[in-house]
Amino acid sequence: MNSASSPVRWGILGPGNIAKAFAGGVAHSRTGRLAAIATRNPGRPGLAEAFPGARVVEGYEALLRDPDIDAVYIAMPHPSHAQWAIRAAEAGKHVLCEKPMGLTAFEAEAMIHAARKAGTFLGEAFMYRLHPQTLKLVELVRSGVIGEVRMIKSSFGFAMPGFMPEHRLYSNELAGGGILDVGGYPVSMARLIAGAAAGQLFLEPDKVRGTAHLGKSGVDEWASALLRFPNGIVAEVSCSISLNQDNVLRIFGTTGRIEVADFWYAGGKEGGTGKISIIRPGNGSEIVEVAESGWLYAFEVDAAGDAILAGKQEFAWPGMGWADSIGNLTVLDKWRAAVRLEYDVEKTERRVNTISGRKLGPNGTAIPKRRIPGLARPASVLALGFEDFRTFSSGSILLDAFYEAGGNLFDTAFVYGAGKTEALLGDWLKNRGVRETSVVIGKGAHTPLCYPDVIGKQLTQSLDRLKTDYVDIYFMHRDNPDVPVGEFVDAMDAEVKAGRIRGPFGGSNWTRERMDEAIAYADRNGKQRPGALSNNFSLAEMLEPIWPGCVTSSSDEWKAWLTARQMPNFAWSSQGRGFFTDRAGRDKRKNEELVRVWYSDRNFGRRDRAVELAARLGKSPIHVALAYVLAQPFPSIPLIGPRTLGELDDSLRALDISLSPDDLKWLDGVK
């Protein structure tokens, strides 16, 4: 990076119309200078005229390697944003990315993760957020000029000349349509105003309901959504690419309303006077003018430049910081899900590369592996559960990262996501070609269908979803004490003999007594004995079941049994579901589940010691809690459920902690 007194040297990836608007903003900024434009077609006519003074660089990688470039503006179509933002961060370049930051909130999280690791700036280019008119609007709402805000209505809609399949806005391949291209504007404004009314920087809706018309190419040509916020505000937002709308922002309060036309343009692209109308029925109206000579796109250039020169990694408010961008895309994700809009570029057959655009790398070494009795191949010391994901494009981000870090153990169940989790993992295993280097945990026979004859039927469906002919480990998801345990052993042993279970089987949420009885039955009758458990196990002992039928193995009696048997336990809720984070505390009693399941003097004593040890090690208490599970004197394999790459990396920090038997006793409070 050049010195703080020198301008930020910008390069542009992609030479489209929005790139030209940004170049004009750079030319009229106080912090930036346009140094280069990257294109795959350097001979394209008009580049010199559109980007005066900028070097034309052939290829995006060449621009990222250029030592005379400090920051890049990503002006390519939506599907390319994540790949090139991540590669730019890896190259040490700051990034301003045209909206939407990614196709989904999951993509944006991955982009932010890359910037966080690289120490670089990443911002989403909602230019209106940096214009003084937006701040003035927020100030008016906060002042109570229209009383208490009750409703927001906003649109961004226009009509293309006709259906143009070659145009990016009608291209499913390029994630066209209105929701991603212009729907983010009214959504971001609604969240900003709802936040202003609540005394916050922005606010997330607690309900999103959407609808849309999907046209010939499958993209949304016009769409609307309703957003409800926790403070009671309701927002109606709409967008279109085939329909002209009035594009007026309306904020309704108890004593009046505010109206702003085309708020995203403020006073104009090249400066001018913006007008905010305050309408009070029966009490007159007024117009608040915001005169500004600065160019619209220059404000975002300077806001990014100020952050970069100050060593900041995200926009200062009212620019869209990272949490703001994630929140906005989360709403767009829900809107798209409501209208079942998944672009072809998001589907399994098209997602053959990782989020960075590269082929999946080799199974790494950051996550060690261990031998587990009965398994043919070593398994990673951590197992990944991912039941929150519903699409391949979102789930594959985490699956790829876990695998490249060394993870190869995956936890699924017949009931997770009504089968979507198994199908997603199956798609990923096939797409990436890693089934034979992976270890798959299957679970079935969940209450109320906890019967021996269900096991084979559900396993057939699971294997079909997983696109494989076997699982490596199998657990009954619950026990049914009304059924003789031998019948369950017989059913699972039959699947072993059929080759559909090729490793240990056992029980999830089974008691010691039933496991002992099952093992004895198997030994008497020449069956494969149950060889694994998947019960709750944590530094904090579960006081009562989180869900009906759950069993904890954290008691002293359980630890002695597991050690004597050397029974592998695949531990769920291994980090106490937040008990070792700031969400818990002796004086924090709002979370009913935490209080009911974990709050006891003994557990808080363990938590206190975890906090103390974490401070000595430079870690967090949650890392100590995970290390505790890993360090047990029996095979203990934690199931982790990170939702983002940042959460995954944070979990891996526990692998640096080595706890001795004395450490375990001290954490337990054994003297």
Side-chain angles (χ1 to χ4, degrees):
M1 179 67 194
N2 54 348
S3 68
S5 60
S6 302
V8 175
R9 299 167 297 183
W10 286 93
I12 298 178
L13 299 183
N17 289 331
I18 193 64
K20 296 173 186 176
F22 178 78
V26 176
H28 290 80
S29 71
R30 55 179 169 76
T31 61
R33 177 175 67 83
L34 182 58
I37 171 104
T39 174
R40 290 171 176 164
N41 180 17
R44 179 176 176 173
L47 287 177
E49 294 77 17
F51 304 98
R55 289 181 288 112
V56 178
V57 177
E58 183 174 3
Y60 305 142
E61 289 284 6
L63 185 66
L64 298 186
R65 291 193 300 267
D66 193 328
D68 294 325
I69 297 297
D70 303 313
V72 297
Y73 173 70
I74 296 178
M76 294 175 286
H78 310 333
S80 298
H81 290 182
Q83 172 182 340
W84 290 104
I86 290 170
R87 292 195 184 190
E90 292 171 348
K93 307 300 185 187
H94 304 286
V95 174
L96 179 61
C97 185
E98 185 52 37
K99 51 77 202 159
M101 184 178 283
L103 293 183
T104 64
F106 296 103
E107 285 196 357
E109 288 272 12
M111 297 160 72
I112 290 167
H113 179 66
R116 184 182 289 115
K117 288 175 64 176
T120 52
F121 172 86
L122 172 63
E124 187 175 19
F126 275 100
M127 73 292 190
Y128 86 88
R129 279 291 199 98
L130 287 313
H131 192 281
Q133 178 178 284
T134 299
L135 186 57
K136 184 63 178 178
L137 184 59
V138 168
E139 291 172 351
L140 288 170
V141 170
R142 287 178 173 173
S143 73
V145 69
I146 57 169
E148 295 183 13
V149 175
R150 291 286 187 261
M151 181 173 286
I152 303 164
K153 295 184 179 183
S154 183
S155 63
F156 191 162
F158 54 88
M160 294 285 285
F163 177 63
M164 304 166 65
E166 74 283 358
H167 196 283
R168 69 170 185 85
L169 287 175
Y170 284 99
S171 172
N172 194 299
E173 177 79 14
L174 298 178
I179 293 175
L180 285 192
D181 199 70
V182 290
Y185 284 95
V187 169
S188 63
M189 177 58 86
R191 294 171 52 258
L192 179 71
I193 297 304
Q200 300 179 35
L201 301 183
F202 54 86
L203 196 62
E204 303 301 350
D206 52 15
K207 284 190 178 179
V208 177
R209 299 289 184 268
T211 188
H213 168 75
L214 304 185
K216 296 178 184 178
S217 61
V219 303
D220 62 295
E221 295 184 359
W222 52 89
S224 292
L226 283 175
L227 283 57
R228 192 195 74 177
F229 293 89
N231 56 0
I233 293 175
V234 173
E236 300 177 12
V237 296
S238 61
C239 60
S240 52
I241 60 171
S242 299
L243 180 70
N244 286 315
Q245 300 190 49
D246 67 4
N247 298 339
V248 176
L249 166 68
R250 296 179 174 89
I251 307 169
F252 297 87
T254 52
T255 61
R257 72 180 188 272
I258 292 173
E259 293 188 353
V260 185
D262 299 329
F263 66 81
W264 51 89
Y265 285 145
K269 292 183 180 180
E270 299 180 7
T273 300
K275 296 181 179 180
I276 302 172
S277 299
I278 303 172
I279 303 164
R280 305 182 186 89
N283 292 309
S285 302
E286 65 176 296
I287 293 177
V288 176
E289 295 187 343
V290 181
E292 180 54 64
S293 60
W295 282 38
L296 176 60
Y297 289 90
F299 289 105
E300 71 178 5
V301 174
D302 284 332
D306 288 340
I308 291 167
L309 294 171
K312 306 295 184 183
Q313 290 192 263
E314 54 186 310
F315 275 127
W317 184 87
M320 290 185 67
W322 292 348
D324 205 347
S325 289
I326 292 297
N328 213 57
L329 270 166
T330 298
V331 174
L332 301 187
D333 289 347
K334 292 177 179 178
W335 192 352
R336 282 211 290 141
V339 303
R340 298 183 179 180
L341 174 54
E342 182 182 24
Y343 302 109
D344 288 345
V345 294
E346 297 178 283
K347 294 178 181 177
T348 307
E349 58 271 19
R350 299 292 305 278
R351 288 272 164 156
V352 296
N353 293 326
T354 67
I355 189 68
S356 66
R358 304 181 181 99
K359 294 294 184 184
L360 181 69
N363 197 220
T365 59
I367 304 175
K369 293 183 175 63
R370 68 184 303 172
R371 287 284 179 183
I372 296 175
L375 273 183
R377 64 180 67 96
S380 52
V381 298
L382 300 174
L384 180 68
F386 49 99
E387 56 187 295
D388 288 331
F389 296 99
R390 295 293 179 267
T391 66
F392 185 83
S393 62
S394 60
S396 62
I397 296 172
L398 194 69
L399 288 164
D400 289 342
F402 181 71
Y403 185 85
E404 290 184 337
N408 73 333
L409 180 58
F410 303 96
D411 176 62
T412 66
F414 180 82
V415 298
Y416 289 168
K420 291 181 180 179
T421 300
E422 288 183 324
L424 193 161
L425 178 61
D427 285 342
W428 181 83
L429 292 168
K430 181 179 179 181
N431 182 294
R432 300 301 194 252
V434 296
R435 175 62 186 98
E436 296 309 310
T437 55
S438 299
V439 178
V440 177
I441 300 170
K443 294 194 287 288
H446 194 290
T447 305
L449 299 177
C450 193
Y451 298 98
D453 63 338
V454 171
I455 291 172
K457 296 173 184 177
Q458 290 188 347
L459 184 55
T460 296
Q461 293 183 62
S462 291
L463 294 177
D464 182 61
R465 295 167 181 167
L466 289 164
K467 297 175 176 61
T468 183
D469 56 0
Y470 71 98
V471 293
D472 299 276
I473 303 168
Y474 180 83
F475 293 113
M476 282 185 53
H477 212 162
R478 291 290 192 275
D479 189 13
N480 185 348
D482 293 334
V483 176
V485 73
E487 295 183 24
F488 287 126
V489 174
D490 288 345
M492 290 185 280
D493 180 73
E495 299 301 337
V496 171
K497 289 182 169 56
R500 303 206 305 173
I501 301 173
R502 297 190 186 175
F505 63 74
S508 177
N509 299 296
W510 274 41
T511 64
R512 298 192 303 279
E513 292 76 16
R514 287 281 279 185
M515 281 294 289
D516 283 337
E517 187 180 347
I519 292 169
Y521 173 87
D523 290 347
R524 287 195 311 269
N525 293 278
K527 310 286 186 178
Q528 176 170 308
R529 57 161 50 187
L533 267 172
S534 184
N535 284 0
N536 165 253
F537 185 88
S538 171
L539 174 57
E541 185 176 347
M542 192 170 72
L543 305 178
E544 60 177 270
I546 299 175
W547 303 288
C550 289
V551 174
T552 180
S553 297
S554 301
S555 68
D556 295 337
E557 295 79 10
W558 261 109
K559 291 172 190 172
W561 184 90
L562 289 164
T563 301
R565 284 278 193 188
Q566 283 300 291
M567 179 67 66
N569 184 53
F570 295 76
W572 55 266
S573 293
S574 57
Q575 293 166 297
R577 296 180 66 82
F579 182 71
F580 293 94
T581 70
D582 290 340
R583 290 170 51 205
R586 290 176 174 85
D587 58 341
K588 297 179 180 179
R589 308 189 68 84
K590 291 184 178 180
N591 188 306
E592 183 275 335
E593 180 185 283
L594 279 176
V595 173
R596 175 176 62 87
V597 177
W598 309 105
Y599 277 30
S600 71
D601 290 341
R602 188 178 186 190
N603 278 342
F604 273 115
R606 290 164 167 164
R607 187 179 186 275
D608 292 341
R609 289 184 288 275
V611 170
E612 179 183 336
L613 181 56
R616 293 204 305 264
L617 297 175
K619 303 284 186 179
S620 297
I622 198 167
H623 301 142
V624 173
L626 189 58
Y628 171 89
V629 177
L630 286 163
Q632 292 302 308
F634 55 87
S636 180
I637 305 95
L639 310 178
I640 61 172
R643 293 173 175 82
T644 67
L645 299 183
E647 290 180 0
L648 173 61
D649 274 5
D650 188 65
S651 292
L652 300 191
R653 293 187 63 200
L655 301 180
D656 299 332
I657 302 174
S658 179
L659 299 178
S660 68
D662 287 341
D663 292 329
L664 298 182
K665 291 179 181 178
W666 178 75
L667 286 167
D668 271 329
V670 177
K671 298 181 180 179

